[in-house]
């Protein structure tokens, strides 16, 4: 096993953790920080995007089942032992990853870490528990369908992604979940939950070598006796072609009090991460905080919207630059035109240096302030290693922001944010 200290860029807000390739194939990342807690984050390089259509929702359903006991732990025992120490635990499934985590006191880490590895790598996946949990997942899908915000996100995803699996919801379809057999989940776990797909991120107030030793021993114990199986191979899919024209989806939604308007452009994903930084700044310039151009003009000055924001969503294989507004239905056409006009200004006229400096500082500070706790940092390291193959993105973000010029922003807007080719989702209240 070898350890590597990553270089620390100038004025980087984070320390340099130790990165270690374990003999089992997993990557371990550890850092000691002076906060009286330890966070363990187990990241799997598997999410909803690897699922074929016939088992969509499997990754999320498996996340539920991981907590239903192992050959060593009875159902509910993991949570009981975690809560008995005052620790907290949870998990999340996304399109590109699944991760499991807990935060505990430093003195409890050695006793709790083996439990986390055990439930993730050795779930029993009992048939009776599987059938009971199926109803829980189906209810979650039903609640999601009743949520106006999630309904709108799904409409945007279906318009923005024609071929990539990101068009499907992470929860899956109720019709698929209703007929999934337990053996299909066992096979999915065997295929994707293996050490080569695992990143172990652990941050807290214990010496780095102690954190690594506990994580290593816990992982090796969980893997002992597991049979060798064929590993899943991720399909390498190209990104979507940019929109070639304005494509619209319009609908009425009985659950809305006000209309929703979303404009979306296809942009690079994490596989072209060097282009993401300028798009993040552009999103802040246009629609983040009270000083964002669209916020100031359309909400504060003209009252055309009750809320508006911009963001740059980055999946592994594709990104989406979005502007989302909540507004009276009669203002939809005018607001769309104003959004397009504001983006045209960015394409045609360089943003003044003082404004760029202010926005860069805001974006950088949001990044720094969001990575102070052990859980924040373990999340950052696990995410970066899993989705980009290293920690350079985690460390280089603020430095990359400082290097962005007005011409960089203008170039990104010219390349990706056309005013004659984008997606539009306009949803009115049913009575409008």
């Amino acid at each position: 096993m070898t350890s590597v200290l990553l270089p620390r860029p100038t004025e980087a807000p984070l320390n340099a953790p130790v990165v270690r390739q374990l003999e089992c194939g997993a990557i371990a990342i550890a850092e000691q920080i002076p906060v009286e807690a330890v966070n363990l984050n187990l990241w799997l390089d598997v999410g909803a995007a690897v699922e074929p259509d016939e088992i969509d929702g499997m990754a999320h359903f498996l996340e539920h089942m991981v907590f239903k006991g192992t050959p060593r732990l009875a159902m509910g025992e993991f949570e009981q032992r975690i809560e008995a120490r005052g620790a907290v635990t949870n998990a999340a499934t996304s399109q590109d990853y699944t991760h499991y985590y807990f935060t505990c006191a430093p003195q409890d880490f050695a006793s709790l870490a083996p439990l986390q590895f055990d439930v993730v790598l050795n779930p029993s996946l009992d048939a009776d528990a599987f059938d009971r949990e199926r109803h829980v997942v189906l209810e979650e899908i039903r609640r999601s369908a009743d949520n106006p915000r999630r309904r709108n996100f799904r409409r945007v995803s279906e318009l923005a992604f024609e071929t990539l699996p990101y068009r499907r919801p992470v929860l899956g379809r109720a019709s698929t979940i209703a007929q999934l057999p337990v053996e299909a989940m066992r096979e999915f776990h065997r295929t994707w939950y293996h050490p080569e797909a695992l990143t172990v991120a652990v941050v807290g107030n214990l010496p780095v070598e102690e954190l690594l030793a506990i994580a290593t021993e816990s992982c090796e114990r969980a893997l002992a006796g597991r049979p060798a199986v064929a590993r899943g191979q991720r399909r390498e899919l190209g990104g979507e072609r940019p929109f070639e024209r304005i494509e619209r989806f319009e609908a009425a939604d009985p659950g809305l009090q006000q209309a929703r308007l979303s404009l979306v452009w296809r942009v690079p994903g994490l596989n072209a991460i060097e282009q993401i930084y300028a798009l993040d700044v552009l999103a802040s310039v246009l629609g983040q905080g009270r000083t964002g151009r669209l916020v100031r003009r359309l909400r504060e000055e003209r009252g055309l919207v009750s809320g508006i924001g911009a963001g740059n969503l980055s999946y592994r294989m594709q990104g989406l630059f979005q502007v989302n507004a909540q507004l009276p239905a009669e203002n939809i056409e005018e607001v769309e035109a104003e959004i397009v006009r504001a983006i045209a200004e960015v394409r045609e006229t360089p943003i003044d240096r003082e404004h760029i400096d202010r926005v860069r500082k805001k974006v950088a500070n949001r990044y720094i302030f969001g990575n102070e706790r052990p859980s924040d940092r373990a999340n950052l390291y696990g995410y970066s290693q899993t989705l980009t193959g290293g920690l350079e993105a985690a460390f280089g973000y603020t430095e990359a922001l400082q290097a962005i010029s007005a011409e960089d922003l203008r170039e990104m807007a010219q390349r990706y944010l056309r005013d004659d080719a984008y997606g539009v989702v306009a949803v009115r209240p049913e009575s409008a």
Side-chain angles (χ1 to χ4, degrees), residues 246 248 261-265 286 293-294 297-298 308 323 332-348 413 417-424:
I246 298 174
R248 298 185 182 277
L261 176 66
S262 298
L263 273 62
V264 58
W265 290 260
L286 288 168
R293 290 187 179 187
L294 294 171
R297 294 178 188 179
L298 301 184
I308 190 166
V323 179
I332 286 178
E333 290 184 7
E334 184 176 2
V335 169
E336 180 183 339
E338 289 296 330
I339 292 169
V340 170
R341 185 176 296 116
I343 290 176
E345 290 176 5
V346 174
R347 284 199 313 271
E348 296 162 6
L417 307 184
R418 292 172 53 183
D419 59 10
D420 61 348
Y422 54 87
V424 184

Side-chain angles (χ1 to χ4, degrees), residues 85-301:
R85 300 296 184 95
V88 293
T89 184
N90 213 330
T93 305
S94 184
Q95 292 284 2
D96 292 317
Y97 61 82
T98 307
H99 72 129
Y100 303 85
Y101 51 95
F102 73 76
T103 301
C104 67
Q107 64 269 23
D108 295 326
F109 179 60
S111 62
L112 296 182
L115 310 182
Q116 181 75 87
F117 280 92
D118 190 35
V119 296
V120 170
L121 296 174
N122 299 308
S124 297
L125 303 182
D126 175 76
D128 290 340
F130 178 85
D131 288 334
R132 289 193 297 271
E133 196 65 22
R134 188 199 309 269
H135 297 292
V136 175
V137 175
L138 287 170
E139 175 61 17
E140 188 173 351
I141 293 172
R142 188 196 64 76
R143 290 200 311 270
S144 177
D146 286 343
N147 184 304
R149 181 181 60 82
R150 290 195 174 188
R151 286 199 298 271
N152 207 56
F153 180 78
R154 182 169 182 175
R155 295 178 184 117
V156 170
S157 298
E158 290 176 349
L159 178 67
F161 299 112
E162 294 180 359
T163 59
L164 288 175
Y166 302 137
R167 68 180 282 107
R168 303 178 318 212
V170 171
L171 298 182
R173 294 166 295 173
S175 58
T176 304
I177 298 301
Q179 55 79 40
L180 277 178
V182 67
E183 185 51 44
M185 180 173 287
R186 292 167 181 160
E187 179 61 25
F188 189 85
H189 185 273
R190 286 192 295 265
T191 301
W192 293 105
Y193 276 52
H194 54 82
E196 290 83 0
L198 177 64
T199 294
V200 180
V202 55
V203 177
N205 200 8
L206 288 174
V208 164
E209 288 303 322
E210 185 174 349
L211 293 172
L212 285 169
I214 292 169
T216 300
E217 181 180 351
S218 299
C219 187
E220 290 175 349
R221 177 183 174 188
L223 290 170
R226 274 184 39 142
V229 295
R231 307 308 194 198
Q233 297 296 316
R234 182 180 297 279
R235 294 175 296 162
E236 292 301 326
L237 302 174
E240 305 275 357
R241 292 177 58 84
F243 287 107
E244 296 179 352
R245 58 188 178 277
I246 298 174
E247 298 189 17
R248 298 185 182 277
F249 175 86
E250 298 187 3
D253 190 323
L256 294 182
Q257 298 299 313
Q258 279 197 315
R260 301 291 190 274
L261 176 66
S262 298
L263 273 62
V264 58
W265 290 260
R266 295 170 180 149
V267 298
L270 292 166
N271 54 359
I273 195 169
E274 67 282 351
Q275 299 184 57
I276 288 176
Y277 306 120
L279 291 166
D280 285 352
V281 173
L282 275 175
S284 188
V285 167
L286 288 168
Q288 294 178 7
R290 296 175 67 90
T291 59
R293 290 187 179 187
L294 294 171
V295 179
R296 187 180 70 251
R297 294 178 188 179
L298 301 184
R299 190 188 71 183
E300 302 297 322
E301 296 175 1

Side-chain angles (χ1 to χ4, degrees), residues 15-36:
N15 298 320
V18 170
V19 181
R20 181 164 295 172
Q21 176 83 49
L22 304 182
E23 291 180 359
C24 67
I27 298 291
I29 305 166
E31 179 184 21
Q32 181 175 13
I33 64 173
V35 176
E36 287 306 300

